[in-house]
Amino acid sequence: MDESGGSGRPQSDGTEGLRPAEPHGPHHTPGSQEPTRPVDTAEDPGRPADEPQRPAAPSTDDNRTSLTKTPATGTPATGTPATKTPAAGTPREEHPTDPQRPRAAHSGRPGKGTPGKGTPVPPKAQKGPGGGLLMGKPFGVPVYVAPSWFLVAALITWVFGNQLDRVLPELGGARYLVSLFFAVAFYASVLVHELAHTVAALRFKLPVRRIQLQFFGGVSEIEKESETPGREFILAFVGPLLSLVLAGVFYAGMQAVDPGTVPGVLLAGLMISNLIVAAFNLLPGLPLDGGRMLRAVVWKITGKPMSGTVAAAWVGRALAISVLIGLPLLNQSGALGGEAQDIGGMDTVTDALLAAILAAIIWTGAGNSLRMARLREHLPELRARTLTRRAVPVESETPLSEALRRANDAGARALVVVDTDGDPMALVREAAIVSVPQHRRPWVGVGGLAQDLTEGMRISAELSGEELLDTLRATPATEYLVVEESGEIYGVLSAADVERAFVKAMARPT
């Protein structure tokens, strides 16, 4: 990626002219890379000199770059924070794959629902808003159930059904229907946990992309980061608070029924489950809600969001190691309420596997939080003015070879189609240029290779950081016309250049 060097002019080295950038993703057409030397505009030797110029055929290449964002496993990500309430209680954060915009995700595993921050993502890497079966749109936010949830529901049904056989043996095979009801009710309480984050985010005017229930809980994808540590703390705390409230409601319900009945056993199970979810999510390490709260406290004390993220992320990593080693030992010793067991056998393997999964989720989420925080610090370096390519105006009937010659002479790397008054009408797509063989360029008009300008494809040269990514994401395209505040053409911004700058920013150390 070329950089302007701070001159304030669209980037160009003045020698390479309009040539395709290095092959990358959807912008590259295999086998048709344009040479770096100036384009030869001589007439095709195989064409009679008196043959009239043939009109260019409209290009059928609609090679657009998608500018949409997706969550990962950890703390909320701009485009991307995503807080997740794991069924085990660990949030997960989304991770940029698109210069999608930053996103935040609250994780909602059995109890994990800390607010996350928006995670910026590059334009083409963004993904659609899907993610499973759409269950509804409470508060206008779509709720999806991922396919992995059915796996967990089946596992909970099996395990809880075996426990019911010891407590209520008279149920027989019907115990699995009761157990399935428990699994659904438990994830309904996880959804309430996530909705608490969602409602708080909406009150703070932070857009929420979706809620997803999945393997180890749920995640609320919040697309912006909290502006203050106080809001960050509240956004993280409301999830565990709602889980504690639910536990109290279920406890109150237990007082009205016989503990030896199906309702009594279900209410007891749901009370204990929500207590575990609340307690687990309050642990002070990212990507859990407690980690978000710790981050807010350190942010408030130091005045630096990055300091809070670093502190909470390293506590989260220490927590992951503690879970990996300590959870199996506690289960074996009976400290968690069960009977003491000898080390070895299937129970030991199951405990170790569960501990490894939880530890991996927490460790990955903490790492994602650090990566997203580092990226957010570098986001202001993404400026439309420095990433823009110099462009030359050409009329629609201009042969491609002539347009490229003018671009080479001007040291430009983009073409803007203008009308007779000089007003921009369309952009000539880089991918379309590459697809035209050199010997055909004198006979192809640039108008047939251009994409009409829409309002969203005109962006200000003053845009930078998350605002730039948000603008590109709102109108996915491969190129954008960059204009000054006066309306004067400044140049053309390629989504591919933004994408490379985004990836480069992620790799740069803080």
Side-chain angles (χ1 to χ4, degrees), residues 413-434:
R413 296 182 58 207
L415 302 173
V416 178
V417 178
V418 297
D419 59 19
T420 54
D421 296 326
D423 295 326
M425 302 167 50
L427 299 179
V428 181
R429 295 168 296 173
E430 180 181 2
I433 294 174
V434 173

Side-chain angles (χ1 to χ4, degrees), residues 180 403 432 468 475 480:
L180 177 61
L468 172 61
T475 307
Y480 299 83

Side-chain angles (χ1 to χ4, degrees), residues 69-72 77-80 93-103 119-122 125-126 368 371-372 375 502 506:
K69 324 176 212 163
T70 83
T78 200
T80 139
E93 168 171 306
E94 286 213 358
H95 138 161
T97 38
D98 49 15
Q100 224 175 340
R101 60 175 168 184
R103 287 188 293 210
T119 302
V121 264
Q126 271 182 308
N368 286 340
R371 184 164 57 253
M372 291 308 103
L375 172 60
F502 182 88
M506 286 189 66

Side-chain angles (χ1 to χ4, degrees), residues 78-456:
T78 200
T80 139
T83 62
K84 169 181 187 177
T85 305
T90 25
R92 134 192 122 160
E93 168 171 306
E94 286 213 358
H95 138 161
T97 38
D98 49 15
Q100 224 175 340
R101 60 175 168 184
R103 287 188 293 210
H106 274 285
S107 123
R109 314 191 169 168
K112 165 46 200 134
T114 36
K117 303 175 191 154
T119 302
V121 264
K124 90 169 181 181
Q126 271 182 308
K127 297 181 180 179
L133 180 65
L134 178 63
M135 301 302 294
K137 293 186 176 181
F139 306 102
V141 177
V143 175
Y144 292 92
V145 174
S148 60
W149 175 85
F150 295 95
L151 204 58
V152 177
L155 179 61
I156 292 175
T157 300
W158 175 261
V159 173
F160 192 68
N162 290 337
Q163 293 176 345
L164 281 176
D165 191 35
R166 294 195 294 268
V167 180
L168 299 170
E170 66 275 11
L171 286 177
R175 68 181 183 276
Y176 291 111
L177 290 177
V178 176
S179 184
L180 177 61
F181 179 83
F182 171 79
V184 173
F186 169 69
Y187 267 87
S189 65
V190 171
L191 176 59
V192 171
H193 178 116
E194 291 306 318
L195 286 174
H197 291 301
T198 296
V199 171
L202 295 176
R203 290 293 298 268
F204 292 145
K205 301 191 184 307
L206 302 176
V208 181
R209 183 166 174 255
R210 67 176 178 178
I211 295 173
Q212 187 183 49
L213 299 179
Q214 49 198 224
F215 184 76
F216 252 109
V219 57
S220 302
E221 297 175 19
I222 301 172
E223 298 186 338
K224 293 287 186 181
E225 175 164 355
S226 301
E227 297 176 354
T228 66
R231 290 186 174 186
E232 171 85 345
F233 188 93
I234 293 172
L235 199 54
F237 181 62
V238 290
L241 177 61
L242 253 294
S243 294
L244 288 173
V245 170
L246 285 176
V249 170
F250 292 130
Y251 177 77
M254 289 171 57
Q255 310 310 308
V257 299
D258 187 340
T261 62
V262 170
V265 172
L266 285 175
L267 290 170
L270 290 171
M271 180 201 69
I272 294 172
S273 302
N274 279 277
L275 284 176
I276 292 174
V277 166
F280 190 82
N281 278 281
L282 285 173
L283 293 176
L286 287 172
L288 302 175
D289 290 326
R292 292 276 162 204
M293 294 161 64
L294 174 61
R295 174 183 183 269
V297 171
V298 177
W299 177 3
K300 178 68 175 179
I301 294 173
T302 64
K304 298 178 181 179
M306 185 63 181
S307 298
T309 300
V310 171
W314 279 106
V315 172
R317 287 177 168 176
L319 180 62
I321 296 174
S322 300
V323 168
L324 179 63
I325 299 173
L327 185 59
L329 294 178
L330 290 174
N331 277 341
Q332 292 295 324
S333 67
L336 297 181
E339 297 180 359
Q341 303 171 5
D342 295 332
I343 296 178
M346 185 56 68
D347 287 341
T348 301
V349 173
T350 303
D351 292 342
L353 180 60
L354 176 62
I357 293 174
L358 290 178
I361 290 173
I362 298 173
W363 183 278
T364 302
N368 286 340
S369 298
L370 283 173
R371 184 164 57 253
M372 291 308 103
R374 182 178 64 207
L375 172 60
R376 188 163 287 104
E377 282 204 332
H378 291 304
L379 269 184
E381 299 172 16
L382 296 181
R383 297 187 294 273
R385 188 173 292 279
T386 58
L387 294 173
T388 295
R389 298 179 177 185
R390 185 177 303 169
V392 294
V394 294
E395 294 188 353
S396 178
E397 300 77 13
T398 306
L400 178 58
S401 60
E402 170 61 16
L404 292 176
R405 184 193 65 76
R406 295 181 192 176
N408 288 333
D409 290 346
R413 296 182 58 207
L415 302 173
V416 178
V417 178
V418 297
D419 59 19
T420 54
D421 296 326
D423 295 326
M425 302 167 50
L427 299 179
V428 181
R429 295 168 296 173
E430 180 181 2
I433 294 174
V434 173
S435 67
V436 180
Q438 264 194 320
H439 70 277
R440 290 283 304 130
R441 291 174 181 176
W443 327 122
V444 175
V446 294
L449 306 175
Q451 179 179 4
D452 292 340
L453 281 171
T454 62
E455 187 59 34

